[in-house]
Structures are given as C-alpha cells and as structure tokens.
Amino acid sequence: MHHRHPDIDPQLLSETEEQRELRTVLRDFFTEESDPEDVRKHLATPRGHDEKLWARLAGEIGVHGLAIPEEFGGSGFTFAELAVALEESGRALYCAPLLPTVGLAANALLNSGDQQACERYLPRIANGTLTATVAGFDEAEPGVVAERSGPGWVLRGAADFVLDGAGADLIVVRARTPEGARLLACEPAVDTCSRTPRRVLDETRRQALVEFRGAPATPVGESGEVTAVLDAGRAALAAEQVGGSGHALDATVQFVAQREQFGRPIGSFQAVKHRLADVLVALEAARSASAYATACVSLASPQLPVAASAAAAVCSETYRLATAEYVQLHGGIGFTWEHAAHLYVRRARSSEVLFGTSDQHRIRLAELVGLTTRPAA
C-alpha cells in the first residue's frame, strides 16, 4: 500500500528559469513552424509528419535528448525538461512520434540498465536519426513470443495498435520466453516483419498492427517489468494533454472576446464566462496533477504509480472538457471539419484511452492506496 501523502518537495512542482526559457523557445518555434494547416498538410505524407522539422527539433533545440544522459549523447537534463517540451508539442498538436520515441522507447532502454543497448540506440534517438516505439507493454500476457535461434533470438506473433508502428526504426518489444516476459530490441525488416497501419480516430498519432515472422531481436536488460515505463508514458501523455487543453482554452477565450452578438462580445455573457471558468479550474487541477507526476518520474519516486494514474484521469477529463467547449463556443464554425478544433477533439478522445481509461485509473488508484483488497496492477 502506498502512503497517501506526497513525498515531493513542493518547490520541484514549480518551473525553473531554464524551463521557462525552454518553453518560450519551443512555443515560438511551434508557432512559426507547425500550425494546424501544417499539421493537416503533413498527415498525407508517408511518415505523417514533417521530417525536416523533426531533425531541426533534435538538432537546433535538442528536445529528443533532454532526458538522455550525456554519456549516451543527450543533454543530461531530467524528465521535467522533457515534460515542458511535450506540453508545448501537445499545445501545437505536433504530429511527429515524440511520445513513443522519447517518452516510451528511450525511457525503456534507460530503465533496462543495459549499457550496450543504451550505447547503441540512445545517441541516435538523441540526434533525431532514429525513431522508436514499444510493443506489448500494456498486455498482461504479451502476444509476441521470443525464441532462441542459433546464437540469437527471433520474434513471432503480433502486437496491435502500436504507436508509430508502421514507421518506427526500432521497436522495443515485451515478449514471452520460457523464463518469463522480457524486453527485446527489434529493427524491423520487410521480410520478417509485417506492419499494417490501422485506421484510427486521431490521424496525428499513427498506430499499426505489427506482425513478427521470425524477426531477429536482441535482448535488452534482464527483466520484462515495464510498469515504471508505462507510468512515465502516462506522465508524458498528461503533459501533452495539459498543453492541448491550454491551447483550447486560449483559442476559445480569444474567439469569444471578438465574436459579437446583440451588439456585444459573446464573452461578456455570464453563461459563457461560467463555462470558461470551469475549464480554467479544471486546467489548473490538471497542471498540478501533471507537475506532480513529472516530479515523481524525475526523482524515481515510489509514489509514481499513484501520481501517474491520478494525472491520467485528471488530465484526460480536462482535455475532453476543454476541447468540447472549444467546439461549442466557436458556434457554427466550430462544427466544421476545416476548423482546428476538430483535430484537438480527436487527439483528446484518443489520448484518454491510450494507457487506460479514466475509470481504469480510478480503480487502480483505489487499489494502490488500499481502498480495495484486489492487488494493484
């Protein structure tokens, strides 16, 4: 059972000067280079995002390597700095595979403690030349089996709805072995790995069915335990959701201050004020939940499971509310597909089920703090 009181220094929940500067740089960068029209344009490309922008984000700003130690080619900062980048990417609805590459795969490699795997893959993740993802992490019994083949290992089986599964250069797979589940790194090839894009609600976050047919793989670490990686992924997603919610609120406030009805801005009507105030209150709660989860990841706190599930539940519901008001308070134009609000609505709806629904996270929270007798997942 987890303690019910936080063990994080409250000062760690506030941004540092460096983090504020990073936020300013990234907001200006995304404003200039990745507006909703840019997002729509690149959705039709083979990789679904601007590959030149991806390289610039890694090379000019160093986002990909923020939470990667210097010995592996990164900047040696913490997850807190990465969370700032993820929040700003969520605000801009950046459609490149930042979450699976740096939020999940890079974290899985670091958590594995496998020096050789980290040296092989993390420098390329940090410099933007390698995209990566994970598969089988959210399954109690992985659908992929790892078998010995001569001196090495091969993978057989399938994993569905893998983030960026059709395009990732590296897949960190949790697979079954005779000794139990463990992690393996696979660089998929056409002849041994079939990758079928899935039609999903949110086209800005591609997913795929990945089928392994004797795909060569290299063991990573000694354990198949991925709970900490998934919780870090939940914290990363929560930061994204806070960014998207912030955009939805700001865009709506700007619109209602300009749109007039009966000779006055609609934002002056009490009913509209109340609705936006509700979004603001929810957003501040989401910021707090996200900041706490981020701090827990950065410090490897034992409170991370509680913080991650709390952030997942709070931030998912805030994003849903913020995007619903984004559409509703924009009136007739908000209901047209051409308006950016629909891209955010789809991202909000897909994100709230990505690592478990809000109901599932509440059940998990109840188990973690001892309100139920069932063992926590």
Side-chain angles (χ1 to χ4, degrees):
M1 186 175 78
H2 290 246
H3 297 294
R4 299 190 185 187
H5 302 289
D7 60 352
I8 301 294
D9 184 343
Q11 290 187 343
L12 296 177
L13 305 182
S14 300
E15 280 191 348
T16 64
E17 184 60 35
E18 282 185 332
Q19 290 166 3
R20 281 191 289 271
E21 291 176 1
L22 175 62
R23 183 181 300 281
T24 299
V25 169
L26 285 167
R27 188 164 300 186
D28 291 344
F29 179 83
F30 283 125
T31 299
E32 294 175 5
E33 305 293 343
S34 186
D35 63 21
E37 288 309 308
D38 291 317
V39 171
R40 290 183 190 275
K41 178 176 68 176
H42 290 292
L43 289 180
T45 63
R47 283 296 278 122
H49 66 270
D50 186 342
E51 295 183 73
K52 291 182 179 179
L53 194 65
W54 173 263
R56 287 183 60 197
L57 198 64
E60 295 178 17
I61 305 178
V63 166
H64 303 60
L66 282 171
I68 294 177
E70 292 182 10
E71 64 177 307
F72 301 128
S75 303
F77 288 103
T78 69
F79 188 84
E81 284 72 32
L82 178 59
V84 171
L86 288 163
E87 184 177 334
E88 290 304 312
S89 73
R91 184 182 181 89
L93 209 72
Y94 183 50
C95 54
L98 199 59
L99 176 65
T101 298
V102 301
L104 291 170
N107 202 13
L109 292 169
L110 285 169
N111 277 19
S112 74
D114 190 318
Q115 185 81 9
Q116 187 174 359
C118 288
E119 290 175 349
R120 180 177 182 180
Y121 298 117
L122 289 180
R124 287 188 285 158
I125 288 178
N127 66 24
T129 58
L130 183 79
T131 57
T133 189
V134 300
F137 277 40
D138 57 350
E139 300 173 5
E141 185 70 12
V144 180
V145 177
E147 304 172 350
R148 288 193 178 275
S149 177
W153 292 78
V154 295
L155 299 175
R156 301 188 189 280
D160 208 350
F161 295 102
V162 176
L163 296 176
D164 197 39
D169 304 311
L170 170 71
I171 306 177
V172 181
V173 184
R174 181 169 175 264
R176 284 180 286 137
T177 73
E179 295 77 33
R182 69 177 305 177
L183 299 184
L184 297 99
C186 174
E187 298 181 57
V190 176
D191 57 335
T192 58
C193 185
S194 172
R195 303 194 277 178
T196 307
R198 288 301 200 190
R199 185 178 181 183
V200 290
L201 178 66
D202 177 17
E203 296 176 342
T204 68
R205 178 165 280 149
R206 294 188 174 187
Q207 301 179 46
L209 168 66
V210 181
E211 298 173 282
F212 300 97
R213 300 188 299 268
T218 305
V220 175
E222 300 295 331
S223 169
E225 175 55 47
V226 294
T227 301
V229 176
L230 275 176
D231 282 333
R234 290 170 180 126
L237 181 62
E240 260 196 18
Q241 291 170 316
V242 167
S245 300
H247 164 83
L249 177 59
D250 290 348
T252 306
V253 168
Q254 182 180 21
F255 178 79
V256 299
Q258 297 173 349
R259 177 75 168 91
E260 292 191 356
Q261 196 170 48
F262 306 113
R264 55 190 285 197
I266 62 173
S268 65
F269 298 134
Q270 195 73 12
V272 174
K273 290 180 180 180
H274 285 170
R275 290 169 67 169
L276 291 175
D278 288 342
V279 175
L280 178 60
V281 170
L283 178 56
E284 290 305 310
R287 288 191 196 282
S288 296
S290 174
Y292 181 49
T294 293
C296 286
V297 176
S298 299
L299 298 176
S301 168
Q303 286 290 313
L304 176 58
V306 172
S309 278
V314 173
C315 295
S316 291
E317 293 182 353
T318 296
Y319 203 5
R320 174 194 276 255
L321 172 65
T323 52
E325 296 292 24
Y326 192 5
V327 171
Q328 293 285 336
L329 292 178
H330 271 74
I333 192 174
F335 284 86
T336 63
W337 171 239
E338 290 74 18
H339 198 276
H342 283 271
L343 294 173
Y344 285 87
V345 168
R346 288 173 179 241
R347 172 65 71 86
R349 291 303 180 90
S350 67
S351 295
E352 69 179 312
V353 298
L354 194 54
F355 300 126
T357 65
S358 293
D359 287 344
Q360 289 171 329
H361 284 297
R362 285 191 170 87
I363 292 171
R364 185 185 187 218
L365 281 169
E367 294 165 351
L368 286 168
V369 300
L371 297 179
T372 65
T373 56
R374 289 171 53 192

